[in-house]
Amino acid sequence: MKLASAAVALLSSTLPVVTVAQECLLGSFTLEFDGECTAAKVLETYTEQVYEAAGATATSCTTSAEDDLNAKLAAAGIADASELCDQVYATQHKVPFTAAANRGTDLHFEQMFYN
């Protein structure tokens, strides 16, 4: 799952210009991962792809990745990573199963479904 469009839009549209003191990282970021969006997966992905990226945090930073992420979410008015996942899922385009076959002209869906 790529949280770029929905999550970053949610965070960037609601983050104040003034930075929160607990945050070690400033600026926008994109989280990419496969599978279901869960609080644990968001934290794991944030830690690996953003917080622990080379040169991402200053050596003087004493805030953990979890606290840094929670500060960003709080600044955006989001209670926790679970709520972030709920908002991402709520903003995704939904295609009813009955319309799934209408998504292309190559009959790939029909072939996969009926074979």
Side-chain angles (χ1 to χ4, degrees):
M1 165 173 270
K2 186 173 184 177
L3 292 182
S5 58
V8 174
L10 285 171
L11 288 174
S12 64
S13 67
T14 57
L15 278 175
V17 175
V18 178
T19 59
V20 178
Q22 300 94 324
E23 294 182 49
C24 285
L25 301 169
L26 304 175
S28 63
F29 56 89
T30 301
L31 302 178
E32 293 185 41
F33 57 88
D34 294 326
E36 184 179 359
C37 182
T38 63
K41 190 68 169 180
V42 170
L43 177 59
E44 175 188 347
T45 304
Y46 177 78
T47 302
E48 291 175 0
Q49 295 180 7
V50 179
Y51 191 83
E52 293 179 349
T57 55
T59 55
S60 61
C61 178
T62 59
T63 304
S64 69
E66 182 175 12
D67 291 339
D68 193 62
L69 177 61
N70 287 336
K72 287 175 178 27
L73 294 174
I78 300 172
D80 58 14
S82 295
E83 185 180 329
L84 175 66
C85 289
D86 292 343
Q87 289 184 18
V88 168
Y89 282 135
T91 60
Q92 294 300 306
H93 178 70
K94 296 171 182 69
V95 177
F97 181 75
T98 56
N102 297 334
R103 301 286 292 176
T105 58
D106 60 358
L107 300 177
H108 181 72
F109 173 81
E110 289 83 354
Q111 183 179 21
M112 296 299 294
F113 184 77
Y114 290 108
N115 288 345

XYZ file of all heavy atoms in Angstrom:
845
model
N 0.838 -1.161 0.000
C 0.000 0.000 0.000
C 0.886 1.227 0.000
O 1.861 1.281 0.706
C -0.895 -0.016 1.226
C -1.555 1.316 1.497
S -2.748 1.228 2.792
C -4.161 0.852 1.796
N 0.508 2.189 -0.775
C 1.271 3.429 -0.844
C 0.459 4.520 -0.165
O -0.636 4.819 -0.577
C 1.542 3.794 -2.289
C 2.449 4.971 -2.457
C 2.805 5.160 -3.906
C 3.802 6.284 -4.042
N 4.217 6.445 -5.433
N 1.021 5.074 0.887
C 0.305 6.091 1.642
C 0.660 7.491 1.190
O 0.476 8.438 1.919
C 0.608 5.954 3.131
C 0.071 4.718 3.813
C 0.413 4.742 5.283
C -1.422 4.602 3.633
N 1.151 7.616 0.011
C 1.602 8.933 -0.421
C 0.445 9.889 -0.616
O 0.378 10.917 0.030
C 2.396 8.801 -1.709
N -0.474 9.553 -1.495
C -1.487 10.524 -1.872
C -2.431 10.858 -0.734
O -2.653 12.022 -0.428
C -2.278 10.010 -3.072
O -2.869 8.767 -2.751
N -2.977 9.873 -0.079
C -3.968 10.143 0.957
C -3.349 10.594 2.268
O -3.733 11.619 2.818
C -4.819 8.897 1.182
N -2.395 9.856 2.773
C -1.837 10.172 4.089
C -1.055 11.465 4.085
O -1.224 12.293 4.978
C -0.948 9.030 4.570
N -0.215 11.653 3.101
C 0.579 12.870 3.064
C -0.325 14.065 2.822
O -0.119 15.131 3.395
C 1.703 12.769 2.020
C 2.434 14.080 1.878
C 2.664 11.661 2.418
N -1.367 13.869 2.020
C -2.314 14.965 1.805
C -3.021 15.305 3.107
O -3.210 16.466 3.438
C -3.325 14.589 0.727
N -3.411 14.278 3.859
C -4.046 14.520 5.143
C -3.100 15.233 6.092
O -3.469 16.197 6.754
C -4.494 13.208 5.784
C -5.727 12.541 5.199
C -5.895 11.148 5.788
C -6.951 13.382 5.437
N -1.872 14.756 6.171
C -0.908 15.367 7.085
C -0.510 16.766 6.642
O -0.491 17.691 7.440
C 0.338 14.486 7.206
C 0.165 13.200 7.996
C 1.432 12.362 7.899
C -0.168 13.471 9.440
N -0.213 16.935 5.370
C 0.270 18.231 4.915
C -0.818 19.289 4.916
O -0.541 20.460 5.097
C 0.892 18.112 3.523
O -0.081 17.724 2.588
N -2.071 18.875 4.744
C -3.138 19.866 4.735
C -3.490 20.341 6.134
O -4.069 21.405 6.298
C -4.381 19.286 4.052
O -4.902 18.235 4.835
N -3.143 19.567 7.155
C -3.527 19.943 8.502
C -2.357 20.275 9.410
O -2.571 20.717 10.521
C -4.341 18.798 9.150
O -3.572 17.607 9.124
C -5.650 18.585 8.421
N -1.118 20.068 8.950
C 0.031 20.388 9.788
C 0.205 21.896 9.891
O 0.158 22.595 8.885
C 1.315 19.776 9.212
C 1.560 18.323 9.530
C 2.807 17.838 8.793
C 1.707 18.057 10.991
N 0.402 22.402 11.083
C 0.631 23.842 11.207
C 2.027 24.207 10.727
O 2.904 23.363 10.640
C 0.496 24.073 12.721
C 0.856 22.771 13.337
C 0.400 21.708 12.353
N 2.212 25.477 10.450
C 3.519 25.951 9.994
C 4.536 25.877 11.130
O 5.688 25.562 10.930
C 3.402 27.393 9.450
C 4.761 27.935 9.082
C 2.469 27.422 8.265
N 4.092 26.138 12.349
C 4.975 26.074 13.510
C 5.257 24.612 13.816
O 4.361 23.791 13.847
C 4.315 26.749 14.731
C 5.206 26.641 15.945
C 3.986 28.188 14.405
N 6.513 24.269 14.041
C 6.868 22.885 14.303
C 6.647 22.542 15.768
O 6.771 23.381 16.648
C 8.338 22.616 13.940
O 9.141 23.474 14.714
C 8.586 22.834 12.464
N 6.327 21.297 16.006
C 6.136 20.806 17.362
C 7.507 20.482 17.939
O 8.354 19.897 17.275
C 5.236 19.545 17.348
C 5.075 18.985 18.739
C 3.890 19.875 16.735
N 7.729 20.822 19.202
C 9.055 20.690 19.807
C 9.541 19.243 19.855
O 10.725 18.983 19.777
C 9.030 21.277 21.204
N 8.638 18.282 19.958
C 9.038 16.891 20.093
C 9.483 16.266 18.764
O 10.017 15.192 18.747
C 7.887 16.045 20.648
C 7.408 16.470 22.002
C 6.228 17.433 21.899
O 6.153 18.258 21.002
N 5.319 17.347 22.835
N 9.234 16.918 17.660
C 9.546 16.334 16.368
C 11.032 16.485 16.040
O 11.597 17.545 16.193
C 8.719 16.992 15.267
C 7.235 16.715 15.377
C 6.467 17.338 14.237
O 6.878 17.157 13.082
O 5.466 17.992 14.518
N 11.619 15.389 15.590
C 13.025 15.427 15.146
C 13.120 15.679 13.651
O 14.099 16.232 13.180
C 13.709 14.099 15.465
S 14.091 13.905 17.198
N 12.139 15.234 12.897
C 12.156 15.348 11.448
C 11.150 16.383 10.990
O 10.040 16.427 11.494
C 11.803 14.004 10.805
C 12.713 12.852 11.158
C 12.133 11.548 10.686
C 14.071 13.065 10.549
N 11.555 17.190 10.037
C 10.664 18.192 9.478
C 10.470 17.915 8.003
O 11.323 17.313 7.357
C 11.249 19.586 9.686
C 11.566 19.967 11.130
C 12.252 21.323 11.189
C 10.307 19.968 11.970
N 9.362 18.366 7.458
C 9.109 18.202 6.033
C 8.177 17.053 5.732
O 7.725 16.334 6.617
N 7.892 16.904 4.471
C 6.960 15.866 4.045
C 7.682 14.540 3.819
O 8.903 14.499 3.691
C 6.256 16.293 2.767
O 7.195 16.445 1.730
N 6.914 13.491 3.767
C 7.461 12.158 3.532
C 6.384 11.274 2.944
O 5.193 11.584 3.015
C 8.010 11.533 4.827
C 7.005 11.469 5.935
C 6.164 10.375 6.078
C 6.900 12.501 6.847
C 5.240 10.314 7.096
C 5.980 12.454 7.875
C 5.142 11.351 8.002
N 6.794 10.158 2.373
C 5.894 9.177 1.786
C 6.191 7.825 2.405
O 7.352 7.452 2.535
C 6.103 9.097 0.259
O 5.869 10.387 -0.310
C 5.167 8.089 -0.372
N 5.128 7.108 2.771
C 5.288 5.743 3.292
C 4.771 4.762 2.255
O 3.680 4.933 1.740
C 4.497 5.568 4.594
C 4.842 6.507 5.742
C 3.935 6.235 6.927
C 6.289 6.355 6.137
N 5.561 3.743 1.958
C 5.148 2.702 1.024
C 5.335 1.345 1.672
O 6.415 1.051 2.183
C 5.971 2.767 -0.261
C 5.727 4.004 -1.081
C 6.470 3.958 -2.400
O 6.501 2.871 -3.025
O 7.023 4.991 -2.797
N 4.263 0.536 1.649
C 4.359 -0.829 2.154
C 3.261 -1.680 1.545
O 2.293 -1.158 1.006
C 4.288 -0.870 3.688
C 3.050 -0.259 4.288
C 1.908 -1.020 4.481
C 3.045 1.052 4.676
C 0.782 -0.463 5.044
C 1.928 1.615 5.245
C 0.780 0.857 5.429
N 3.447 -2.979 1.622
C 2.459 -3.930 1.118
C 1.617 -4.424 2.274
O 2.084 -4.527 3.401
C 3.156 -5.130 0.450
C 3.897 -4.724 -0.813
O 3.423 -3.817 -1.518
O 4.962 -5.299 -1.082
N 0.399 -4.762 1.965
C -0.474 -5.345 2.976
C -1.416 -4.339 3.600
O -1.581 -3.217 3.143
N -2.025 -4.787 4.671
C -3.034 -4.008 5.372
C -2.413 -2.838 6.127
O -1.311 -2.929 6.664
C -3.761 -4.924 6.360
C -4.895 -4.276 7.093
C -5.593 -5.232 8.041
O -5.208 -6.413 8.110
O -6.530 -4.782 8.707
N -3.127 -1.750 6.190
C -2.678 -0.585 6.945
C -3.071 -0.776 8.409
O -4.248 -0.823 8.743
C -3.329 0.684 6.395
S -2.794 2.192 7.235
N -2.069 -0.932 9.255
C -2.288 -1.055 10.698
C -1.360 -0.072 11.403
O -0.385 0.395 10.819
C -1.990 -2.473 11.202
O -0.598 -2.753 10.984
C -2.849 -3.519 10.515
N -1.657 0.213 12.655
C -0.815 1.128 13.424
C 0.617 0.601 13.507
O 1.582 1.363 13.349
C -1.397 1.326 14.812
N 0.762 -0.694 13.741
C 2.096 -1.293 13.846
C 2.844 -1.198 12.519
O 4.046 -0.903 12.494
C 1.989 -2.746 14.288
N 2.151 -1.415 11.413
C 2.786 -1.350 10.096
C 3.192 0.077 9.756
O 4.268 0.312 9.190
C 1.841 -1.911 9.027
C 2.476 -2.108 7.688
C 3.500 -3.206 7.747
C 3.937 -3.593 6.361
N 4.929 -4.651 6.373
N 2.352 1.053 10.109
C 2.690 2.452 9.854
C 3.935 2.843 10.654
O 4.857 3.456 10.120
C 1.501 3.380 10.188
C 1.920 4.842 10.167
C 0.352 3.149 9.217
N 3.972 2.468 11.925
C 5.136 2.791 12.758
C 6.395 2.103 12.240
O 7.455 2.725 12.129
C 4.891 2.403 14.215
C 6.076 2.630 15.150
C 6.497 4.098 15.164
C 5.750 2.135 16.550
N 6.291 0.825 11.895
C 7.445 0.088 11.364
C 7.964 0.733 10.081
O 9.174 0.944 9.917
C 7.045 -1.366 11.095
C 8.114 -2.198 10.432
C 7.607 -3.577 10.015
O 6.523 -4.002 10.443
O 8.318 -4.223 9.231
N 7.053 1.086 9.189
C 7.439 1.690 7.916
C 8.021 3.081 8.128
O 9.025 3.447 7.510
C 6.224 1.759 6.972
O 5.688 0.441 6.828
C 6.604 2.293 5.609
N 7.415 3.865 9.021
C 7.940 5.203 9.322
C 9.352 5.098 9.890
O 10.243 5.849 9.497
C 7.012 5.923 10.304
C 7.528 7.279 10.723
C 7.396 8.366 9.866
C 8.151 7.468 11.938
C 7.887 9.614 10.229
C 8.642 8.708 12.308
C 8.502 9.776 11.446
O 8.993 11.006 11.807
N 9.546 4.157 10.784
C 10.866 3.981 11.401
C 11.913 3.616 10.355
O 12.992 4.217 10.308
C 10.806 2.899 12.494
O 9.837 3.284 13.469
C 12.146 2.711 13.166
N 11.606 2.640 9.502
C 12.571 2.161 8.515
C 12.811 3.150 7.378
O 13.956 3.394 6.998
C 12.095 0.838 7.921
C 12.125 -0.319 8.889
C 11.522 -1.587 8.297
O 11.074 -1.571 7.128
O 11.492 -2.602 9.005
N 11.743 3.709 6.838
C 11.874 4.508 5.621
C 12.129 5.984 5.875
O 12.673 6.669 5.015
C 10.608 4.364 4.766
C 10.394 2.981 4.236
C 9.123 2.870 3.400
O 8.450 3.851 3.110
N 8.785 1.654 3.022
N 11.740 6.483 7.040
C 11.859 7.916 7.284
C 12.805 8.203 8.444
O 13.834 8.856 8.280
C 10.477 8.546 7.553
C 10.593 10.036 7.826
C 9.520 8.281 6.404
N 12.487 7.715 9.619
C 13.220 8.080 10.831
C 14.661 7.589 10.818
O 15.578 8.306 11.210
C 12.478 7.549 12.055
C 12.999 8.083 13.367
C 12.584 9.319 13.836
C 13.893 7.356 14.139
C 13.045 9.823 15.038
C 14.367 7.847 15.336
C 13.937 9.080 15.789
O 14.404 9.575 16.974
N 14.869 6.352 10.379
C 16.217 5.786 10.380
C 16.936 5.930 9.046
O 18.004 5.338 8.857
C 16.159 4.310 10.789
C 15.738 4.120 12.234
C 15.661 2.660 12.660
O 15.736 1.765 11.785
O 15.505 2.417 13.865
N 16.389 6.711 8.135
C 17.065 6.948 6.853
C 18.354 7.716 7.107
O 18.436 8.525 8.032
C 16.146 7.733 5.926
N 19.348 7.453 6.308
C 20.660 8.090 6.491
C 20.527 9.608 6.481
O 19.975 10.182 5.552
C 21.607 7.643 5.392
N 20.992 10.228 7.549
C 20.969 11.681 7.658
C 19.628 12.287 8.004
O 19.473 13.501 7.990
N 18.655 11.466 8.325
C 17.305 11.978 8.585
C 17.194 12.674 9.932
O 16.535 13.699 10.046
C 16.292 10.853 8.504
N 17.826 12.128 10.947
C 17.720 12.724 12.279
C 19.079 13.243 12.736
O 20.114 12.662 12.447
C 17.220 11.689 13.311
O 18.069 10.551 13.288
C 15.801 11.257 13.015
N 19.006 14.316 13.487
C 20.234 14.886 14.052
C 20.694 14.014 15.213
O 19.895 13.349 15.871
C 19.967 16.305 14.543
N 21.977 14.019 15.480
C 22.502 13.221 16.594
C 21.990 13.725 17.931
O 21.955 12.983 18.904
C 24.040 13.244 16.598
O 24.481 14.598 16.629
C 24.596 12.537 15.372
N 21.569 14.965 17.994
C 21.040 15.528 19.239
C 19.590 15.130 19.496
O 19.055 15.420 20.567
C 21.157 17.052 19.202
O 20.392 17.557 18.121
N 18.953 14.478 18.546
C 17.552 14.085 18.697
C 17.433 12.953 19.708
O 18.072 11.919 19.582
C 16.979 13.645 17.362
S 15.269 13.106 17.485
N 16.599 13.153 20.705
C 16.389 12.122 21.726
C 14.990 11.527 21.660
O 14.641 10.670 22.461
C 16.618 12.703 23.132
O 15.707 13.789 23.342
C 18.053 13.189 23.280
N 14.190 11.973 20.717
C 12.822 11.482 20.559
C 12.831 10.170 19.785
O 13.543 10.038 18.793
C 11.972 12.523 19.811
O 12.042 13.756 20.512
C 10.537 12.098 19.706
N 12.045 9.216 20.220
C 11.951 7.937 19.508
C 11.120 8.116 18.243
O 10.398 9.106 18.083
C 11.301 6.886 20.402
O 9.929 7.188 20.602
N 11.216 7.150 17.348
C 10.447 7.199 16.105
C 8.951 7.223 16.412
O 8.191 7.958 15.779
C 10.797 5.999 15.235
N 8.529 6.442 17.397
C 7.111 6.401 17.751
C 6.639 7.759 18.264
O 5.580 8.249 17.854
C 6.865 5.324 18.805
C 5.408 5.171 19.187
C 5.174 4.020 20.146
O 6.143 3.472 20.694
O 3.998 3.677 20.354
N 7.426 8.382 19.135
C 7.050 9.694 19.664
C 7.062 10.753 18.568
O 6.206 11.643 18.545
C 7.990 10.098 20.797
C 7.814 9.241 22.042
O 6.740 8.619 22.199
O 8.760 9.188 22.858
N 8.022 10.660 17.650
C 8.096 11.611 16.552
C 6.869 11.487 15.651
O 6.258 12.488 15.277
C 9.379 11.368 15.758
C 9.678 12.496 14.796
O 9.887 13.623 15.270
O 9.689 12.243 13.577
N 6.503 10.252 15.313
C 5.323 10.024 14.483
C 4.067 10.502 15.205
O 3.212 11.164 14.616
C 5.205 8.545 14.108
C 3.963 8.169 13.283
C 3.945 8.907 11.947
C 3.923 6.662 13.062
N 3.948 10.180 16.494
C 2.770 10.604 17.255
C 2.666 12.123 17.327
O 1.561 12.676 17.282
C 2.786 9.998 18.652
C 2.478 8.517 18.634
O 1.843 8.016 17.721
N 2.954 7.808 19.634
N 3.798 12.814 17.418
C 3.782 14.279 17.430
C 3.280 14.823 16.102
O 2.504 15.783 16.069
C 5.180 14.810 17.738
N 3.698 14.214 14.999
C 3.233 14.646 13.681
C 1.736 14.397 13.532
O 1.007 15.238 13.013
C 3.995 13.910 12.584
C 5.419 14.384 12.424
C 6.156 13.534 11.413
C 7.564 13.984 11.165
N 8.271 14.684 12.197
N 1.280 13.226 13.981
C -0.141 12.915 13.890
C -0.967 13.857 14.758
O -2.020 14.344 14.341
C -0.393 11.455 14.288
C 0.203 10.401 13.345
C 0.015 9.010 13.920
C -0.400 10.500 11.966
N -0.488 14.129 15.962
C -1.206 15.034 16.863
C -1.294 16.442 16.270
O -2.337 17.092 16.355
C -0.526 15.068 18.225
N -0.204 16.891 15.650
C -0.207 18.211 15.021
C -1.197 18.277 13.870
O -1.731 19.340 13.554
C 1.200 18.562 14.535
N -1.457 17.135 13.245
C -2.410 17.060 12.144
C -3.830 16.808 12.624
O -4.748 16.696 11.812
C -1.984 15.959 11.176
N -4.004 16.688 13.941
C -5.334 16.439 14.479
C -5.779 14.996 14.363
O -6.970 14.698 14.392
N -4.822 14.102 14.228
C -5.116 12.667 14.114
C -4.683 12.014 15.409
O -3.546 12.194 15.856
C -4.379 12.052 12.907
C -4.826 12.750 11.613
C -4.612 10.560 12.817
C -4.027 12.363 10.395
N -5.583 11.255 16.019
C -5.325 10.685 17.345
C -4.154 9.711 17.352
O -3.303 9.759 18.229
C -6.576 10.000 17.879
N -4.119 8.810 16.378
C -3.065 7.796 16.336
C -2.970 7.208 14.937
O -3.718 7.594 14.039
C -3.302 6.700 17.386
C -4.644 5.999 17.230
O -5.309 6.148 16.183
O -5.036 5.292 18.166
N -2.055 6.270 14.756
C -1.836 5.670 13.436
C -3.047 4.860 12.973
O -3.306 4.771 11.781
C -0.586 4.798 13.445
N -3.808 4.301 13.903
C -5.023 3.572 13.521
C -6.036 4.501 12.870
O -6.680 4.151 11.879
C -5.655 2.899 14.740
O -4.808 1.914 15.255
N -6.162 5.686 13.438
C -7.075 6.673 12.856
C -6.580 7.119 11.483
O -7.369 7.359 10.574
C -7.238 7.876 13.773
C -8.260 8.880 13.265
C -8.429 10.088 14.168
O -8.253 9.961 15.392
O -8.746 11.160 13.634
N -5.253 7.237 11.320
C -4.688 7.569 10.019
C -5.086 6.515 8.990
O -5.526 6.846 7.894
C -3.164 7.672 10.100
C -2.439 7.890 8.768
C -2.784 9.239 8.163
C -0.944 7.756 8.953
N -4.956 5.241 9.356
C -5.357 4.155 8.449
C -6.843 4.240 8.116
O -7.234 4.065 6.955
C -5.032 2.797 9.066
S -3.264 2.431 9.114
N -7.662 4.525 9.116
C -9.102 4.658 8.883
C -9.380 5.773 7.878
O -10.207 5.610 6.974
C -9.845 4.940 10.190
C -9.824 3.758 11.144
O -9.530 2.616 10.697
O -10.095 3.973 12.345
N -8.693 6.894 8.016
C -8.889 8.017 7.099
C -8.394 7.693 5.698
O -9.009 8.087 4.702
C -8.198 9.271 7.637
C -8.884 9.851 8.849
C -8.244 11.147 9.311
O -7.517 11.795 8.570
N -8.516 11.520 10.549
N -7.285 6.972 5.605
C -6.770 6.590 4.293
C -7.761 5.669 3.590
O -8.087 5.870 2.418
C -5.389 5.912 4.418
C -4.981 5.262 3.103
C -4.348 6.920 4.858
N -8.256 4.659 4.301
C -9.222 3.743 3.703
C -10.511 4.461 3.329
O -11.129 4.168 2.304
C -9.527 2.579 4.649
C -8.446 1.517 4.676
C -7.996 0.996 5.872
C -7.893 1.027 3.509
C -7.016 0.018 5.909
C -6.911 0.053 3.526
C -6.479 -0.453 4.737
O -5.513 -1.418 4.761
N -10.948 5.418 4.137
C -12.194 6.138 3.867
C -12.094 7.011 2.621
O -13.102 7.284 1.969
C -12.576 6.989 5.075
N -10.887 7.451 2.264
C -10.719 8.339 1.112
C -10.352 7.592 -0.172
O -10.215 8.225 -1.216
C -9.637 9.402 1.391
O -8.395 8.747 1.661
C -10.028 10.286 2.557
N -10.183 6.282 -0.104
C -9.818 5.514 -1.291
C -11.011 5.335 -2.212
O -12.143 5.200 -1.774
C -9.283 4.130 -0.893
C -7.989 4.192 -0.150
C -6.885 4.839 -0.958
O -6.594 4.426 -2.071
N -6.275 5.856 -0.398
N -10.746 5.328 -3.506
C -11.786 5.083 -4.503
C -12.252 3.638 -4.379
O -11.444 2.720 -4.313
C -11.229 5.336 -5.905
C -12.214 5.072 -6.985
N -13.309 5.868 -7.189
C -12.276 4.085 -7.897
C -14.017 5.376 -8.199
N -13.403 4.295 -8.646
N -13.556 3.447 -4.339
C -14.125 2.106 -4.196
C -14.822 1.702 -5.485
O -15.590 2.477 -6.052
C -15.095 2.078 -3.023
C -14.418 2.343 -1.688
C -15.428 2.536 -0.581
C -14.768 2.852 0.722
N -14.143 4.165 0.779
N -14.552 0.485 -5.921
C -15.191 -0.061 -7.109
C -16.060 -1.235 -6.666
O -15.543 -2.208 -6.123
C -14.146 -0.552 -8.141
C -14.834 -1.186 -9.337
C -13.249 0.579 -8.563
N -17.375 -1.150 -6.871
C -18.228 -2.286 -6.498
C -17.838 -3.531 -7.295
O -17.398 -3.435 -8.449
C -19.635 -1.835 -6.878
C -19.548 -0.371 -7.148
C -18.122 -0.061 -7.449
N -17.983 -4.694 -6.678
C -17.607 -5.936 -7.352
C -18.337 -6.080 -8.675
O -17.770 -6.549 -9.655
C -17.907 -7.135 -6.448
C -17.525 -8.442 -7.079
C -16.214 -8.830 -7.170
C -18.501 -9.275 -7.623
C -15.843 -10.027 -7.764
C -18.149 -10.475 -8.212
C -16.815 -10.851 -8.288
N -19.590 -5.642 -8.723
C -20.376 -5.776 -9.956
C -19.806 -4.926 -11.089
O -20.083 -5.182 -12.247
C -21.840 -5.381 -9.707
O -21.862 -4.046 -9.165
C -22.510 -6.340 -8.737
N -18.996 -3.930 -10.765
C -18.403 -3.084 -11.792
C -16.945 -3.433 -12.064
O -16.303 -2.780 -12.877
C -18.510 -1.613 -11.380
N -16.420 -4.447 -11.421
C -15.009 -4.788 -11.579
C -14.666 -5.181 -13.014
O -13.585 -4.867 -13.509
C -14.631 -5.925 -10.628
N -15.575 -5.846 -13.687
C -15.314 -6.269 -15.059
C -15.283 -5.089 -16.018
O -14.734 -5.193 -17.115
C -16.367 -7.276 -15.509
N -15.837 -3.982 -15.632
C -15.868 -2.803 -16.505
C -14.591 -1.971 -16.417
O -14.511 -0.909 -17.007
C -17.057 -1.904 -16.137
C -18.377 -2.603 -16.346
O -18.483 -3.507 -17.167
N -19.384 -2.191 -15.606
N -13.600 -2.423 -15.680
C -12.389 -1.640 -15.437
C -11.365 -1.739 -16.563
O -10.379 -1.043 -16.544
C -11.728 -2.076 -14.126
C -12.600 -1.943 -12.913
C -12.768 -0.535 -12.482
N -11.523 -0.012 -11.972
C -11.350 1.222 -11.589
N -12.329 2.062 -11.658
N -10.193 1.622 -11.135
N -11.559 -2.583 -17.518
C -10.585 -2.711 -18.600
C -11.211 -3.324 -19.829
O -12.360 -3.754 -19.824
N -10.442 -3.400 -20.881
C -10.949 -3.966 -22.134
C -10.231 -5.248 -22.515
O -10.514 -5.815 -23.572
C -10.771 -2.940 -23.274
O -9.387 -2.599 -23.373
C -11.606 -1.691 -23.024
N -9.312 -5.718 -21.670
C -8.511 -6.888 -22.034
C -9.090 -8.204 -21.519
O -8.509 -9.259 -21.741
C -7.077 -6.733 -21.533
C -7.008 -6.586 -20.022
O -8.067 -6.573 -19.366
O -5.891 -6.477 -19.502
N -10.237 -8.162 -20.842
C -10.917 -9.334 -20.275
C -10.046 -10.078 -19.268
O -10.278 -11.249 -18.984
C -11.389 -10.281 -21.380
C -12.374 -9.683 -22.391
C -12.702 -10.694 -23.480
C -13.635 -9.212 -21.709
N -9.041 -9.420 -18.712
C -8.164 -10.049 -17.729
C -8.949 -10.460 -16.477
O -8.754 -11.549 -15.945
C -7.021 -9.111 -17.353
C -6.071 -9.683 -16.371
N -5.184 -10.692 -16.701
C -5.872 -9.439 -15.052
C -4.485 -11.030 -15.623
N -4.891 -10.279 -14.614
N -9.826 -9.580 -15.999
C -10.619 -9.889 -14.814
C -11.468 -11.129 -15.050
O -11.499 -12.046 -14.219
C -11.521 -8.716 -14.422
C -12.466 -9.060 -13.313
C -12.040 -9.052 -11.992
C -13.796 -9.410 -13.564
C -12.888 -9.369 -10.949
C -14.650 -9.734 -12.527
C -14.203 -9.717 -11.227
N -12.154 -11.170 -16.168
C -13.028 -12.308 -16.450
C -12.224 -13.614 -16.534
O -12.635 -14.650 -16.021
C -13.788 -12.078 -17.764
C -14.847 -11.009 -17.686
C -14.276 -9.601 -17.862
O -13.047 -9.439 -17.928
O -15.095 -8.671 -17.908
N -11.069 -13.548 -17.172
C -10.239 -14.736 -17.305
C -9.759 -15.216 -15.951
O -9.813 -16.396 -15.638
C -9.034 -14.445 -18.209
C -8.175 -15.660 -18.449
C -7.010 -15.331 -19.371
O -6.632 -14.185 -19.519
N -6.452 -16.354 -19.994
N -9.313 -14.297 -15.080
C -8.847 -14.663 -13.753
C -10.001 -15.160 -12.877
O -9.836 -16.087 -12.086
C -8.167 -13.466 -13.077
C -6.908 -13.006 -13.779
S -5.617 -14.268 -13.851
C -5.235 -14.436 -12.142
N -11.161 -14.574 -13.006
C -12.301 -14.929 -12.177
C -12.883 -16.284 -12.557
O -13.184 -17.102 -11.704
C -13.380 -13.844 -12.268
C -14.544 -14.085 -11.363
C -14.439 -13.821 -9.998
C -15.739 -14.579 -11.848
C -15.506 -14.040 -9.135
C -16.814 -14.799 -11.012
C -16.696 -14.532 -9.655
N -13.052 -16.521 -13.854
C -13.737 -17.727 -14.303
C -12.817 -18.919 -14.546
O -13.284 -20.046 -14.664
C -14.557 -17.436 -15.567
C -15.747 -16.552 -15.266
C -15.764 -15.235 -15.688
C -16.820 -17.032 -14.544
C -16.862 -14.425 -15.404
C -17.909 -16.223 -14.248
C -17.924 -14.928 -14.687
O -18.986 -14.134 -14.400
N -11.521 -18.731 -14.627
C -10.622 -19.870 -14.860
C -10.173 -20.488 -13.595
O -9.940 -20.087 -12.587
C -9.418 -19.442 -15.692
C -9.820 -19.188 -17.130
O -10.884 -19.578 -17.559
N -8.960 -18.490 -17.867
